[in-house]
Amino acid sequence: MSPMPQRGGGVIIISFALALVLSVLPMPYWTHIYRPEWVTLVLIYWCIALPQRVGVGIGWGAGLLLDVINDAVLGQYALSLAVVAYLAVKMHRRIRAVPVWQQALTVLLLVGTQQMLVLWIKGIIGQAPWSMSYWLPALVSMLLWPPVFTVLRGLRRRYVTSSK
């Protein structure tokens, strides 16, 4: 039996592209510390929704793009997003089995893990921030998880077919 053809790859690519744009969109200085981790949110969604199509490789690639866009040490976001993708794929059944508000708590932990890895790398090169506000994007990302989940689920149901 041949597998069903997969479609909807464009929707996945566009969602990552939009997340990258939102990650660098100019904002007033005082709101900069509240910027959610858009790429991480999109990566987590696709890893739990379609773990057979989006995983560590996509996380690594999206992280490299973030490294280039943010003029960061090459590999710091790539490493952190690859780890987040690995954890999300490994736990995708558990994450999908709980309500969205409980998923948001898992998102808080995954985004926090991503930020901790970036902080560790920044600390090694002497660029670590000295403020607790560094962790605010994880909290904002958790609060934005329900609408992000709802929008991406709607797009997946409408445009993406996965083979099982």
Side-chain angles (χ1 to χ4, degrees):
M1 178 184 271
S2 65
M4 286 177 43
Q6 295 181 347
R7 59 186 197 108
V11 172
I12 297 170
I13 292 169
I14 289 170
S15 66
F16 275 106
L18 182 60
L20 285 166
V21 168
L22 288 172
S23 294
V24 296
L25 196 67
M27 295 174 62
Y29 181 75
W30 65 272
T31 62
H32 188 266
I33 61 172
Y34 300 107
R35 182 187 303 266
E37 296 290 340
W38 292 108
V39 176
T40 309
L41 287 172
V42 170
L43 178 67
I44 291 168
Y45 175 79
W46 289 117
C47 284
I48 65 173
L50 298 171
Q52 68 278 11
R53 291 180 68 178
V54 178
V56 175
I58 301 293
W60 181 264
L64 282 177
L65 287 173
L66 262 180
D67 286 331
V68 171
I69 288 172
N70 289 327
D71 195 27
V73 173
L74 196 60
Q76 78 180 16
Y77 286 104
L79 172 66
S80 65
L81 289 180
V83 169
V84 167
Y86 173 78
L87 293 171
V89 167
K90 287 301 269 185
M91 299 186 315
H92 78 276
R93 287 189 180 104
R94 287 183 218 158
I95 296 170
R96 289 190 333 201
V98 298
V100 175
W101 68 270
Q102 287 179 344
Q103 290 178 7
L105 296 173
T106 304
V107 167
L108 174 67
L109 294 174
L110 289 171
V111 173
T113 300
Q114 182 254 338
Q115 287 188 293
M116 191 176 348
L117 288 167
V118 169
L119 180 65
W120 175 61
I121 293 169
K122 285 182 177 184
I124 289 173
I125 62 172
Q127 296 178 353
W130 296 99
S131 170
M132 289 301 290
S133 65
Y134 176 79
W135 302 102
L136 283 175
L139 185 62
V140 174
S141 297
M142 176 192 78
L143 295 173
L144 285 175
W145 176 251
V148 168
F149 176 84
T150 304
V151 168
L152 290 176
R153 182 181 59 187
L155 289 172
R156 178 181 56 86
R157 287 181 174 172
R158 182 169 180 150
Y159 297 110
V160 180
T161 301
S162 64
S163 62
K164 293 206 177 198

